[in-house]
């Protein structure tokens, strides 16, 4: 070993390695509302509190590899699940056990029933008057709810940032279409419901068709494929998503 390499090795050895994890914010649309998938922690720290599913990154894998392992092993999800990196969280006190850095990822699935493991639970997301999101449990009839500042670790901050990211990206990317159950055949009404769920407010039907749908068509994201009967009104146009993975910029 030459002198330079020996000096480098000794210098690296002087630094304690922090632990690194990935945390996944898995979103879907449920009953016309944006929803997040959470797990109740069964051990300290933050025992009995809800948090995002996560895992420590192994020495022989990338952060993306850890997310894929988390999806398959913890959530029972395999295949083409959309994910993207959100932000790295490095606050020194975010984990009371040790110095733990978390790389947070957004995930999107079009159907909540894709998650079948019993330790994951869905919560719809609504605004509250205290600056945090109100989370309402889905599916057990209890109407159990809590404010997101009751999440473990710094996951309330993660959630807030992730929602802002999703809302922003509806304006300049094709992320909206990741929530579609059927990308090959949908109506403007279906897409508007997803759009409203993400941005958290209602949008006029005419304005959505005029501005959003026309923008999608002009940028080559969707094409009209036919029509379908909806109730007693005139048939609604049907569309197919053809945009692939490309981003588009609104002019």
């Amino acid at each position: 070993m030459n002198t330079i390499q020996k000096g480098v090795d000794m210098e690296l050895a002087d630094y304690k390695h922090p632990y690194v994890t990935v945390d996944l914010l898995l979103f879907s649309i449920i009953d016309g509302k944006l929803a997040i998938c959470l797990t109740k922690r069964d051990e300290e720290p933050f025992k009995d509190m809800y948090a995002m599913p996560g895992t420590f990154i192994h020495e022989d894998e990338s952060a993306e590899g850890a997310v894929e392992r988390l999806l398959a092993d913890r959530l029972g999800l395999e295949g083409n699940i959309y994910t993207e990196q959100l932000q790295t969280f490095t606050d020194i006190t975010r984990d009371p056990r040790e110095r733990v850095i978390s790389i947070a990822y957004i995930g999107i699935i079009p159907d909540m029933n894709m998650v079948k493991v019993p330790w994951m639970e869905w919560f719809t997301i609504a605004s509250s008057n205290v600056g945090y999101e109100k989370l309402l449990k889905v599916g057990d009839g209890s109407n159990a709810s809590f404010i997101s500042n009751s999440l473990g670790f710094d996951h309330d901050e993660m959630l807030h940032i992730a929602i802002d990211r999703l809302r922003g990206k509806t304006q300049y990317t094709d992320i909206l279409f990741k929530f579609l159950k059927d990308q090959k055949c949908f109506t403007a009404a279906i897409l508007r419901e997803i759009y409203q769920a993400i941005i958290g407010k209602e949008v006029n039907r005419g304005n959505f068709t005029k501005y959003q749908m026309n923008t999608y068509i002009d940028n080559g994201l969707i094409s009209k494929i036919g029509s379908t009967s909806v109730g007693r009104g005139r048939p609604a146009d049907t569309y197919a998503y053809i945009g692939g993975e490309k981003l588009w910029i609104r002019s």
Side-chain angles (χ1 to χ4, degrees):
M1 179 182 295
N2 60 48
T3 303
I4 295 177
Q5 183 63 48
K6 184 176 180 181
V8 170
D9 291 343
M10 291 178 64
E11 182 178 332
L12 290 175
D14 290 337
Y15 292 93
K16 182 179 179 180
H17 292 182
Y19 296 95
V20 184
T21 69
V22 293
D23 286 303
L24 180 65
L25 295 98
L26 186 65
F27 291 98
S28 191
I29 304 295
I30 302 175
D31 297 330
K33 297 178 181 178
L34 187 65
I36 185 78
C37 199
L38 302 175
T39 184
K40 180 177 281 191
R41 291 185 56 79
D42 57 5
E43 60 184 11
E44 297 293 351
F46 307 107
K47 188 175 185 296
D48 296 326
M49 295 176 67
Y50 283 99
M52 311 299 169
T55 185
F56 285 90
I57 300 176
H58 295 171
E59 289 186 356
D60 60 349
E61 69 182 354
S62 64
E64 290 77 13
V67 172
E68 291 177 2
R69 176 170 54 81
L70 174 64
L71 284 166
D73 295 351
R74 180 73 175 166
L75 279 73
L77 293 170
E78 296 185 20
N80 189 24
I81 306 299
Y82 178 80
T83 60
E84 68 173 59
Q85 191 174 130
L86 174 65
Q87 183 174 309
T88 301
F89 292 81
T90 63
D91 189 276
I92 295 174
T93 61
R94 61 175 305 279
D95 191 316
R97 295 169 295 186
E98 282 278 359
R99 178 74 194 280
V100 179
I101 293 171
S102 177
I103 306 173
Y105 282 76
I106 288 173
I108 297 172
I109 57 174
D111 186 350
M112 63 172 285
N113 294 313
M114 293 171 65
V115 179
K116 302 181 186 300
V117 291
W119 50 84
M120 299 304 303
E121 302 175 41
W122 284 100
F123 292 81
T124 57
I125 302 168
S127 299
S128 72
N129 58 5
V130 294
Y132 295 91
E133 283 71 33
K134 182 178 180 180
L135 304 178
L136 178 64
K137 191 173 181 180
V138 174
D140 68 350
S142 67
N143 291 322
S145 66
F146 62 94
I147 303 300
S148 62
N149 64 352
S150 298
L151 294 173
F153 303 98
D154 51 0
H155 290 185
D156 60 325
E157 181 184 3
M158 286 185 186
L159 179 60
H160 188 74
I161 292 172
I163 292 171
D164 280 350
R165 171 75 62 86
L166 286 176
R167 288 174 175 170
K169 294 192 77 168
T170 61
Q171 303 304 316
Y172 65 92
T173 78
D174 57 357
I175 200 167
L176 185 73
F177 298 90
K178 311 301 181 185
F179 289 91
L180 281 169
K181 292 182 179 180
D182 186 355
Q183 294 185 351
K184 296 181 179 179
C185 185
F186 57 89
T187 64
I190 291 173
L191 205 60
R192 182 167 65 97
E193 182 178 84
I194 294 172
Y195 183 82
Q196 290 178 151
I198 295 173
I199 68 171
K201 60 183 179 181
E202 291 189 10
V203 177
N204 177 271
R205 181 175 62 182
N207 287 341
F208 183 80
T209 300
K210 181 179 179 180
Y211 297 108
Q212 298 299 129
M213 296 299 291
N214 286 340
T215 300
Y216 303 147
I217 293 172
D218 292 345
N219 285 274
L221 290 179
I222 63 176
S223 64
K224 182 180 175 181
I225 59 172
S227 61
T228 185
S229 296
V230 179
R232 297 183 178 180
R234 72 177 190 176
D237 292 336
T238 54
Y239 301 87
Y241 171 67
I242 57 175
E245 293 298 319
K246 72 176 182 178
L247 301 182
W248 59 275
I249 304 298
R250 178 177 237 173
S251 57

